[in-house]
Amino acid sequence: MRTRDAILTAAAEIFDEFGYSGASISKIMNRANVTQGGMYFHFKSKRELAHAVLTSQQEFVAHPSEGFGLQGLVDLTFFTAHQLVSNVLFRASVRLAVEQGEFGPRDDTAYQEWVEQLYVHLCAAREQGELLAEVDEREFANVLVGAYTGTQVFSNIASGYADLPERLVSMWRYFLPAIATPQGRARVRLPADVARIAA
Amino acid sequence: MRTRDAILTAAAEIFDEFGYSGASISKIMNRANVTQGGMYFHFKSKRELAHAVLTSQQEFVAHPSEGFGLQGLVDLTFFTAHQLVSNVLFRASVRLAVEQGEFGPRDDTAYQEWVEQLYVHLCAAREQGELLAEVDEREFANVLVGAYTGTQVFSNIASGYADLPERLVSMWRYFLPAIATPQGRARVRLPADVARIAA
């Protein structure tokens, strides 16, 4: 693994465990097993490390779905649930995005990028005749980012993410009737088996 | 103001500004203008202070609505939006609840209390014939706590809560069709004027 990647992974682990305030650059150096010189060649401060972790999520969350439109949107929410459990960089970036007030001026870039991703799926859903006339794609993308953000926070505190797939099935149960046409709803599949995932 | 209340308010201000990790008992003592003796008479640790702030939200968020059932539920979400702006104890308790991993073992008590409050309104809505047959009151109370939690996090980062009323109107636009009977929807009123509230 390249040094920069090793540092980034170590930073994610430390931010995930301790939050921004509880993390320190020396903890991250120890975890990554790099010298001060190695660290400062790549990153000058804890803030810079947090920013790198926060922006890394785009690289890690690629479109996972063959489906597009409504199915792609639904799949993306369940894919990211698994990423939260299995991918420490993604998990840390979400924690930093939620607790972002901690490290400086408010910046909703990460949220807006999520809105954009969901918006693309919603526009495809519209083209495929899956959305009801009264749905505003951009408005609902914003609603969904908010709802998803809190659902994962609640799930993390309640169960360390183990119940997140169940909570997402519930969330979709109360959004789909408001957004999807009958043919859209008939087509979309929620995971039939939402076995609790190991934390 | 009694010393204990003064300390609690100061603690809320400090937790609201700095988060749990960034707060310290000496910052809180200075803010409250109490001696070490005064502090330790009431609170022994930062953790104990955080716990007191976190559990104080029940005292502060009383039922604000004359309405009950669906209208009571909707009113509660807008009332708490105003509380987030105007009541530092409530705001700090929400921040601590969201960032709770910071100070010790995960504890979803605050979330479960919200679920209970919403559940009571949903049961009343059921009795008044406002809920669709397929709605599970407890399941939707959980969905709504998750959705609300994230909506306020997003709004806080995007606008310091200024756009929270607008975001709540949007959220309800996509939940009401999935939960409310036609007569329930006809009866319920969202705030007509969601002027941005000052942060």
Side-chain angles (χ1 to χ4, degrees):
Chain A
M1 211 195 302
R2 286 160 39 226
T3 307
R4 190 178 184 282
D5 288 347
I7 294 173
L8 212 54
T9 302
E13 289 172 6
I14 298 293
F15 288 131
D16 178 47
E17 281 171 47
F18 300 99
Y20 181 76
S21 299
S24 69
I25 207 155
S26 65
K27 272 185 192 153
I28 295 167
M29 274 168 45
N30 284 340
R31 183 68 61 97
N33 202 18
V34 295
T35 62
Q36 201 158 36
M39 172 63 86
Y40 286 96
F41 179 76
H42 293 285
F43 299 100
K44 304 285 179 277
S45 66
K46 183 166 87 165
R47 186 191 210 79
E48 207 179 297
L49 277 160
H51 192 73
V53 169
L54 191 55
T55 55
S56 72
Q57 68 171 19
Q58 293 115 278
E59 299 166 39
F60 282 83
V61 182
H63 274 200
S65 172
E66 290 130 55
F68 210 50
L70 209 50
Q71 187 65 56
L73 188 71
V74 167
D75 288 351
L76 187 57
T77 60
F78 287 94
F79 175 74
T80 52
H82 282 277
Q83 289 288 298
L84 279 168
V85 174
S86 61
N87 181 338
V88 70
L89 251 155
F90 183 63
R91 189 164 62 245
S93 75
V94 168
R95 178 168 183 173
L96 288 170
V98 168
E99 301 182 0
Q100 183 172 168
E102 294 262 298
F103 69 99
R106 287 184 167 119
D107 173 3
D108 65 350
T109 309
Y111 293 80
Q112 297 304 341
E113 272 158 12
W114 276 105
V115 168
E116 277 315 308
Q117 275 213 49
L118 302 183
Y119 178 71
V120 168
H121 283 288
L122 285 161
C123 291
R126 169 70 69 203
E127 277 178 29
Q128 293 173 21
E130 295 172 332
L131 290 191
L132 293 170
E134 60 267 34
V135 174
D136 177 316
E137 292 89 321
R138 186 155 296 277
E139 181 184 43
F140 183 66
N142 270 276
V143 168
L144 189 54
V145 167
Y148 189 93
T149 298
T151 300
Q152 65 82 23
V153 166
F154 190 0
S155 169
N156 188 18
I157 289 175
S159 72
Y161 293 128
D163 66 9
L164 185 50
E166 289 167 56
R167 288 187 185 275
L168 290 176
V169 168
S170 293
M171 181 188 81
W172 281 115
R173 234 162 78 73
Y174 298 98
F175 274 142
L176 284 177
I179 67 163
T181 56
Q183 62 269 39
R185 286 181 73 181
R187 216 183 280 164
V188 77
R189 292 279 168 271
L190 297 178
D193 176 19
V194 289
R196 292 165 72 93
I197 47 182
Chain B
M1 209 193 302
R2 286 162 37 228
T3 307
R4 189 178 185 283
D5 288 347
I7 295 173
L8 211 54
T9 302
E13 289 171 8
I14 298 293
F15 287 132
D16 179 47
E17 281 171 48
F18 300 99
Y20 181 76
S21 299
S24 69
I25 208 157
S26 65
K27 273 185 191 155
I28 295 168
M29 274 169 46
N30 284 341
R31 182 69 61 97
N33 202 17
V34 297
T35 61
Q36 201 158 37
M39 173 62 87
Y40 285 96
F41 180 76
H42 293 285
F43 299 102
K44 305 285 178 278
S45 66
K46 182 166 88 165
R47 187 192 208 78
E48 206 180 297
L49 278 160
H51 192 74
V53 169
L54 191 56
T55 55
S56 74
Q57 67 171 19
Q58 293 116 277
E59 299 166 38
F60 284 81
V61 181
H63 273 201
S65 171
E66 291 129 55
F68 210 50
L70 210 48
Q71 187 65 55
L73 187 71
V74 166
D75 287 352
L76 187 58
T77 60
F78 287 94
F79 175 74
T80 51
H82 282 277
Q83 289 288 299
L84 280 168
V85 174
S86 62
N87 181 337
V88 70
L89 252 155
F90 183 63
R91 189 164 62 246
S93 75
V94 168
R95 178 169 182 172
L96 287 170
V98 167
E99 301 183 359
Q100 182 173 168
E102 295 263 296
F103 69 100
R106 288 186 164 115
D107 173 3
D108 66 350
T109 309
Y111 293 80
Q112 296 304 342
E113 272 159 12
W114 276 105
V115 168
E116 277 316 308
Q117 274 213 49
L118 302 183
Y119 178 71
V120 168
H121 283 288
L122 285 162
C123 291
R126 169 71 68 202
E127 277 179 28
Q128 294 172 20
E130 296 173 331
L131 290 191
L132 292 170
E134 59 267 35
V135 174
D136 176 318
E137 292 90 320
R138 187 156 294 278
E139 181 184 43
F140 183 66
N142 270 276
V143 167
L144 188 53
V145 167
Y148 189 93
T149 298
T151 300
Q152 65 82 22
V153 166
F154 190 0
S155 169
N156 188 18
I157 290 175
S159 72
Y161 292 128
D163 66 9
L164 185 51
E166 289 167 56
R167 288 186 187 275
L168 290 176
V169 168
S170 293
M171 181 188 82
W172 281 116
R173 235 163 77 72
Y174 297 98
F175 273 143
L176 284 177
I179 67 162
T181 56
Q183 62 268 37
R185 288 180 71 180
R187 216 182 280 165
V188 78
R189 292 279 166 269
L190 297 178
D193 176 20
V194 288
R196 291 165 72 94
I197 46 179

